[in-house]
Amino acid sequence: KPSFLDFDSWWWNTPRGPQIFSCLTYIERNVRVDCEFPITDKIPGPFCEFKQDGRLMGTNNPNNPVHLIPPVEIRRRANVTLVPPNICRLTWMPMSDDRAYTYTCRVYQGSTWKENSMAFNQRNLLVCSALSVVAATTLLIFMITVSLPVSLGLLSA
């Protein structure tokens, strides 16, 4: 049991459900929604499902009831996978409509479902790329390296 002084264990630091991250795949420009959940050893699971504005997009649950299986046109454009150890991923080929949608991720572990939702417009998403993170970090380090000597007065005219 964590102690009182263990600040990382306080209730406001613990996620109440899965954490959602979204981006666009680099080449295909598909929407990718990653749903990160806490690792547990509870059986059965983990299983996850994604909904878009309340409509089931896909699931990796083999025991999903037949009446909850998404229509064929959605199954062709959506893919839900479990990325070890604790990420559920929705890859979605969206239509060209220009509106925001609410994506909901539900994760089943043991005997409980935990869920989280996030609304976004695909137009405003960044590209899923480690290279873009490296480029942004490099630019920040360069700006600090150049501006620090100037602000400290080490470089004077």
Side-chain angles (χ1 to χ4, degrees):
K1 183 175 178 179
S3 73
F4 177 75
L5 297 176
D6 185 10
F7 297 113
D8 291 332
S9 68
W10 286 12
W11 64 270
W12 60 77
N13 284 334
T14 56
R16 292 173 188 38
Q19 302 299 301
I20 298 178
F21 308 96
S22 57
C23 58
L24 288 175
T25 59
Y26 183 68
I27 295 174
E28 301 91 2
R29 295 288 190 210
N30 291 337
V31 172
R32 186 175 96 187
V33 183
D34 286 347
C35 181
E36 186 177 359
F37 54 91
I39 299 174
T40 66
D41 294 329
K42 294 181 181 176
I43 305 281
F47 301 119
C48 59
E49 66 181 29
F50 281 93
K51 293 181 179 181
Q52 180 192 59
D53 288 342
R55 180 182 63 180
L56 185 65
M57 303 294 291
T59 182
N60 70 343
N61 186 352
N63 301 323
N64 200 32
V66 174
H67 70 278
L68 290 179
I69 295 176
V72 175
E73 63 271 6
I74 291 177
R75 284 188 307 216
R76 284 189 194 132
R77 297 181 6 229
N79 184 25
V80 175
T81 55
L82 185 64
V83 180
N86 64 331
I87 293 177
C88 282
R89 178 170 291 163
L90 168 70
T91 307
W92 166 245
M93 184 175 54
M95 301 299 261
S96 59
D97 53 354
D98 223 13
R99 64 178 281 250
Y101 290 101
T102 300
Y103 291 86
T104 302
C105 167
R106 295 182 66 207
V107 177
Y108 182 77
Q109 289 179 301
S111 61
T112 60
W113 286 95
K114 300 232 184 231
E115 72 176 53
N116 198 355
S117 296
M118 178 178 174
F120 57 85
N121 189 325
Q122 71 189 34
R123 254 184 350 161
N124 302 331
L125 292 178
L126 298 175
V127 174
C128 309
S129 169
L131 188 59
S132 63
V133 173
V134 170
T137 307
T138 305
L139 182 62
L140 179 67
I141 291 172
F142 176 74
M143 288 180 0
I144 290 172
T145 306
V146 170
S147 64
L148 192 60
V150 172
S151 63
L152 293 176
L154 298 175
L155 295 176
S156 58

